[in-house]
Amino acid sequence: MPVHDHQLHEGESLREAARERLTRQGEQWTGMREAVFDALAGFDKPASAYDIAEAVSKAQERRVAANSIYRILDLFVGANLARRVESANAYVANTHPDCLHDCIFLICDQCGQAVHIDNDRLTGGVRDAAKEAGFTQTRPVIEVRGTCGDCDPN
Amino acid sequence: MPVHDHQLHEGESLREAARERLTRQGEQWTGMREAVFDALAGFDKPASAYDIAEAVSKAQERRVAANSIYRILDLFVGANLARRVESANAYVANTHPDCLHDCIFLICDQCGQAVHIDNDRLTGGVRDAAKEAGFTQTRPVIEVRGTCGDCDPN
DNA sequence: CAATGCAATGTTATGTTGTAACTTGTCCTC
DNA sequence: GAGGACAAGTTACAACATAACATTGCATTG
């Protein structure tokens, strides 16, 4: 039961939505940024900056330093095009960049897959708890490490 | 309003509780482990393995490698004597090692302070959500980055 | 008590993740 | 085409983490 409707993109459409979003923020959609976004979106699990550097290097047949990737990933995270998975030191593309909310990641310790769920009741509760403790400008990090259904079919 | 009672330890008492707990698990309470625990408990904010290595090195007037610290920290986390703060790559002593539950950390981006709160309703909700998605052997990571009341007194 | 075994720790090396500082390239404007 | 502004490249290094193997010290037992 989805809490709200939002557009889920994939492939061309996703890249297009990302480009839209980024340019709307006054940032440029460059070849390099597109390459990084494509690489990121091409992974089926959270990818490290170095994973992405390798993928882009391969795609472009030239060496691309992790450094540059970090810059672009930071930009993406700031623009909601990507999310950082803290407990995995890795990043995932955001499939609905126009929709701004906290999210919860479930990460399988076996296969590395991450699934993303939304639950505003929970994330709101966490935000409230932080506020109550006097924290401001809060950014919740809610992740669950565990074993996914595919890896533990019991 | 505490959700439940539990013993909060500090200083001698905390070390004693930790020793108790560890030995009860069949592990040894060695001089090195005590030194690491004391160093960890001596920090007023989450400390990295390297911070602790430095503190122990100073206390013992000899070089202690980060390596050994990691081993002991892993042991501590496994025995509930310490917690890892994922979003800070750092560790904190657990002031009530006999009480097993999920916890929530609020970390100030300005001063690095971390405060620890318990809220079984929230952590339980996160666990339930993960279970619903087919995950087992779950270990929630719930942290909030933000600015603490001292750093932003508005 | 020597021999053995085992757990803890030490040592060295290396892998992984993340930043800093500065340079170069490109595009736009005047 | 000079100058500014931003993207990207380059080099270096800092910070975090693990692997592989050696050594130490203590407990057991023959």
Side-chain angles (χ1 to χ4, degrees):
Chain A
M1 60 157 194
V3 173
H4 62 277
D5 294 343
H6 51 224
Q7 191 58 44
L8 276 176
H9 298 280
E10 54 182 320
E12 280 292 321
S13 160
L14 173 56
R15 181 204 299 180
E16 197 49 32
R19 191 185 62 70
E20 250 305 284
R21 168 94 189 169
L22 197 61
T23 52
R24 196 176 300 279
Q25 312 238 322
E27 296 286 352
Q28 300 177 35
W29 184 257
T30 66
M32 186 63 180
R33 290 174 184 185
E34 181 165 298
V36 170
F37 189 83
D38 286 351
L40 180 59
F43 282 93
D44 67 338
K45 61 182 71 167
S48 76
Y50 283 78
D51 291 339
I52 295 166
E54 195 176 323
V56 173
S57 294
K58 193 163 296 181
Q60 310 234 343
E61 295 183 313
R62 73 195 175 92
R63 178 179 175 277
V64 175
N67 192 326
S68 302
I69 307 296
Y70 275 110
R71 268 196 296 241
I72 293 172
L73 286 174
D74 286 350
L75 180 76
F76 284 0
V77 169
N80 202 41
L81 267 53
R83 300 281 194 163
R84 177 173 164 82
V85 182
E86 292 291 346
S87 72
N89 296 331
Y91 300 81
V92 294
N94 183 353
T95 51
H96 42 98
D98 290 321
C99 188
L100 202 54
H101 51 58
D102 301 323
C103 57
I104 300 175
F105 288 111
L106 315 178
I107 304 107
C108 178
D109 289 327
Q110 258 59 54
C111 66
Q113 271 287 355
V115 329
H116 163 211
I117 62 181
D118 297 327
N119 185 323
D120 293 342
R121 187 178 59 78
L122 286 174
T123 61
V126 171
R127 272 188 188 279
D128 289 347
K131 188 175 181 183
E132 193 148 329
F135 275 65
T136 53
Q137 298 164 188
T138 53
R139 180 174 68 85
V141 173
I142 308 181
E143 305 177 358
V144 182
R145 308 298 311 212
T147 304
C148 73
D150 292 345
C151 291
D152 175 14
N154 301 322
Chain B
M1 59 158 198
V3 174
H4 62 279
D5 294 342
H6 52 225
Q7 191 59 43
L8 275 177
H9 298 280
E10 54 182 320
E12 281 292 320
S13 159
L14 174 56
R15 182 204 295 179
E16 199 48 32
R19 193 184 61 68
E20 251 304 284
R21 168 94 190 169
L22 197 61
T23 52
R24 197 176 298 280
Q25 312 238 322
E27 296 286 353
Q28 300 178 35
W29 183 257
T30 66
M32 185 63 180
R33 288 172 187 186
E34 181 165 299
V36 170
F37 189 82
D38 285 351
L40 180 59
F43 282 93
D44 67 337
K45 60 183 72 166
S48 77
Y50 281 79
D51 292 339
I52 296 166
E54 195 176 322
V56 173
S57 295
K58 194 163 296 180
Q60 312 234 341
E61 295 184 313
R62 72 194 176 93
R63 179 180 175 277
V64 176
N67 192 328
S68 302
I69 306 298
Y70 274 110
R71 269 194 296 239
I72 293 173
L73 286 174
D74 287 350
L75 180 76
F76 284 0
V77 169
N80 202 40
L81 266 54
R83 301 281 195 163
R84 178 174 162 81
V85 182
E86 292 290 346
S87 72
N89 297 333
Y91 300 82
V92 292
N94 184 352
T95 51
H96 42 98
D98 291 320
C99 188
L100 202 55
H101 51 58
D102 300 324
C103 58
I104 301 176
F105 288 112
L106 315 178
I107 302 108
C108 178
D109 289 329
Q110 258 60 53
C111 67
Q113 271 287 357
V115 329
H116 162 211
I117 62 182
D118 297 325
N119 185 322
D120 293 344
R121 187 178 59 76
L122 287 174
T123 60
V126 171
R127 273 189 187 278
D128 289 347
K131 188 175 182 183
E132 193 147 332
F135 274 65
T136 54
Q137 298 163 188
T138 52
R139 179 173 69 84
V141 173
I142 308 181
E143 305 177 359
V144 182
R145 310 296 313 214
T147 304
C148 73
D150 292 344
C151 291
D152 176 14
N154 301 322

